[in-house]
Amino acid sequence: MLIDNFNDTIAAISTAVGEGAVGIVRLSGPQALAIADAVFSGKKGLRPSQFKTYTMHYGRIVYAGQVLDEVILTVMRAPYSYTREDVVEINCHGGIVALHRVLDSVLENGCRMAEPGEFTRRAFLNGRIDLSQAEAVIDIIRAKTDSALKISLEQLKGGLSKEIDKIRQILLNILVILEASIDFPEEDLKQQDNSEVSKSLDLARLQLSRLLDGAKAGRILRDGIQVVICGRPNVGKSSLLNALLKKERAIVTPLAGTTRDSIEEMIDIKGIPVRIVDTAGILKPRNLVERKAVRRARGHIRSADLTIILFDASKKLEADDWKLIEETRDTNVIAVINKIDLKSRINKEELLKVFHKVVELSAKKARNINLLEDALCEFVYHDRLVSPEFMLVSNLRHISALKEAQKLLDNAASALCDKLPLEFFTQDLKDASVYLDKILGKDFSGDLLDRIFADFCIGK
Ligand SMILES: Nc1nc2c(ncn2[C@@H]2O[C@H](COP(=O)(O)OP(=O)(O)O)[C@@H](O)[C@H]2O)c(=O)[nH]1
Ligand SMILES: [Mg+2]
């Protein structure tokens, strides 16, 4: 476990490893300015400890009499910095060697190498942001689509914290009322307060369930979904992958068995990161390669969030189609009839009996692809309107804490309904608010911080 020692001044390379135009070495802590003084040589002999906050200065990093790099140095004084400590950022040339030499020079002068996420950890521990905001930082860095970025930025701004805090306040108010009626248990007071308690409790539960309702979409927007395309050979699976990607990724030929192995690609469909897998057609394998390809395709179907079963409009449904329908019965499926540009021989009515959703399109002619994209969005969002203003919870730690709180509030609500004495559920309410506190990091352990920040990059 990392022992947080705020007397340490930490340093790290904050930019990505590899060649770049600029690379940044960042320092944070009580000695940041003094250590920068020791290595920075600026114009007119001015030193970083004399610089005003939020100013940038040209100079050189000199160590052991040797010029290491030509740099621009920025000073951000406590408490108005990322960590609320004195922070110095040294913009170097982005070469790996130059950056490491500058980093070494500040380490030699008393900095300690920062652990992953330690700058953000300090921002949290010094009270600049709460834990859910700290967690948003890594999600911003990892965001795969605009929507994922939007969720994380909202969380960093404190959007989630505000929602959680509203629920916490309601619970605290209920607890105040309960404490009062336990202290003065006259019947009148009890009678009157119960309805108020019950109303407030319902409101807290409603807000909690709204947050949890958005969690599935939140998770998906953050982590994406895995979609697998399957179907008989030659129905146009690879053509559909290409149409969705809007490029020729998979080889398409009129020969059955062209796709020998599964092909995976990442696509952004209306803000949803979709990992899409084109499989070899499920068929009676003729040799070892095909047997393995089919086995792999089945594996993908089992692990996917959603399966697209493709049918050929110009062919009657065959035994292999029905076998596939049977195999995917317990999974989330969208049925797609491809090749609508050809004369139709398929019995669509039969498919509508089995599938909740049937989309008709032509992969080759790129017709109606948007209908499939809409169906995918519908699957993700269900019928819920997800507006950008609505906070979507996307972090598993938050979701599980919210679920625990929900269980406790449900208990409390049924105890209230059963007219059990108020003492029976005050503890549930207290426990529920502890779970909410955990999301914000009002209640945390060093272990938890280690786990959260282990995911971060060094220098953030
Ligand atoms: N007419 C027509 N042909 C298509 C369509 N989609 C695919 N094909 C053709 O069907 C054949 C098999 O396509 P392919 O994508 O390789 O099928 P896969 O074996 O399921 O991957 C190719 O000759 C494609 O050009 C379509 O929408 N209309
Ligand atoms: Mg194919």
Side-chain angles (χ1 to χ4, degrees), residues 282 349 376 416 428 439 460:
I282 299 269
E349 297 309 312
L376 267 158
L416 193 66
D428 284 343
I439 297 177
K460 189 68 218 179

PDB file of all heavy atoms in Angstrom, residues 282 349 376 416 428 439 460:
ATOM      1  N   ILE A 282     -21.366 -20.466 -40.065  1.00  0.00           N
ATOM      2  CA  ILE A 282     -21.550 -21.739 -39.373  1.00  0.00           C
ATOM      3  C   ILE A 282     -21.997 -22.741 -40.435  1.00  0.00           C
ATOM      4  O   ILE A 282     -23.022 -22.571 -41.079  1.00  0.00           O
ATOM      5  CB  ILE A 282     -22.626 -21.613 -38.283  1.00  0.00           C
ATOM      6  CG1 ILE A 282     -22.198 -20.586 -37.245  1.00  0.00           C
ATOM      7  CG2 ILE A 282     -22.968 -22.961 -37.676  1.00  0.00           C
ATOM      8  CD1 ILE A 282     -21.438 -21.081 -36.082  1.00  0.00           C
ATOM      9  N   GLU A 349     -42.402 -13.484 -42.427  1.00  0.00           N
ATOM     10  CA  GLU A 349     -43.388 -13.703 -41.350  1.00  0.00           C
ATOM     11  C   GLU A 349     -42.882 -14.722 -40.333  1.00  0.00           C
ATOM     12  O   GLU A 349     -43.048 -14.557 -39.128  1.00  0.00           O
ATOM     13  CB  GLU A 349     -44.728 -14.193 -41.931  1.00  0.00           C
ATOM     14  CG  GLU A 349     -45.390 -13.191 -42.856  1.00  0.00           C
ATOM     15  CD  GLU A 349     -45.488 -11.816 -42.215  1.00  0.00           C
ATOM     16  OE1 GLU A 349     -45.940 -11.746 -41.053  1.00  0.00           O
ATOM     17  OE2 GLU A 349     -45.083 -10.812 -42.858  1.00  0.00           O
ATOM     18  N   LEU A 376     -29.309  -1.079 -33.101  1.00  0.00           N
ATOM     19  CA  LEU A 376     -28.232  -1.255 -32.122  1.00  0.00           C
ATOM     20  C   LEU A 376     -28.356  -0.229 -30.988  1.00  0.00           C
ATOM     21  O   LEU A 376     -28.201  -0.560 -29.811  1.00  0.00           O
ATOM     22  CB  LEU A 376     -26.886  -1.069 -32.806  1.00  0.00           C
ATOM     23  CG  LEU A 376     -26.234  -2.328 -33.316  1.00  0.00           C
ATOM     24  CD1 LEU A 376     -25.243  -2.020 -34.410  1.00  0.00           C
ATOM     25  CD2 LEU A 376     -25.514  -2.981 -32.158  1.00  0.00           C
ATOM     26  N   LEU A 416     -41.239   0.222   6.695  1.00  0.00           N
ATOM     27  CA  LEU A 416     -42.145   1.346   6.925  1.00  0.00           C
ATOM     28  C   LEU A 416     -43.574   0.941   6.552  1.00  0.00           C
ATOM     29  O   LEU A 416     -44.537   1.240   7.267  1.00  0.00           O
ATOM     30  CB  LEU A 416     -41.691   2.528   6.067  1.00  0.00           C
ATOM     31  CG  LEU A 416     -42.308   3.885   6.376  1.00  0.00           C
ATOM     32  CD1 LEU A 416     -41.882   4.368   7.739  1.00  0.00           C
ATOM     33  CD2 LEU A 416     -41.874   4.907   5.322  1.00  0.00           C
ATOM     34  N   ASP A 428     -30.651   0.935   8.431  1.00  0.00           N
ATOM     35  CA  ASP A 428     -30.605   0.764   6.968  1.00  0.00           C
ATOM     36  C   ASP A 428     -30.309   2.091   6.279  1.00  0.00           C
ATOM     37  O   ASP A 428     -29.519   2.157   5.341  1.00  0.00           O
ATOM     38  CB  ASP A 428     -31.955   0.236   6.441  1.00  0.00           C
ATOM     39  CG  ASP A 428     -32.129  -1.241   6.733  1.00  0.00           C
ATOM     40  OD1 ASP A 428     -31.104  -1.903   7.032  1.00  0.00           O
ATOM     41  OD2 ASP A 428     -33.275  -1.728   6.679  1.00  0.00           O
ATOM     42  N   ILE A 439     -18.890   6.415  -2.604  1.00  0.00           N
ATOM     43  CA  ILE A 439     -18.738   6.840  -4.000  1.00  0.00           C
ATOM     44  C   ILE A 439     -17.957   8.143  -4.059  1.00  0.00           C
ATOM     45  O   ILE A 439     -17.081   8.338  -4.879  1.00  0.00           O
ATOM     46  CB  ILE A 439     -20.123   7.016  -4.671  1.00  0.00           C
ATOM     47  CG1 ILE A 439     -20.846   5.676  -4.694  1.00  0.00           C
ATOM     48  CG2 ILE A 439     -19.978   7.612  -6.074  1.00  0.00           C
ATOM     49  CD1 ILE A 439     -22.238   5.733  -5.266  1.00  0.00           C
ATOM     50  N   LYS A 460      -0.026  11.056 -14.080  1.00  0.00           N
ATOM     51  CA  LYS A 460      -1.352  11.691 -14.085  1.00  0.00           C
ATOM     52  C   LYS A 460      -1.813  11.906 -12.664  1.00  0.00           C
ATOM     53  O   LYS A 460      -1.643  11.066 -11.827  1.00  0.00           O
ATOM     54  CB  LYS A 460      -2.369  10.828 -14.835  1.00  0.00           C
ATOM     55  CG  LYS A 460      -3.682  11.550 -15.048  1.00  0.00           C
ATOM     56  CD  LYS A 460      -3.535  12.703 -16.006  1.00  0.00           C
ATOM     57  CE  LYS A 460      -4.402  13.872 -15.554  1.00  0.00           C
ATOM     58  NZ  LYS A 460      -4.298  15.028 -16.412  1.00  0.00           N
TER      59      LYS A 460
END
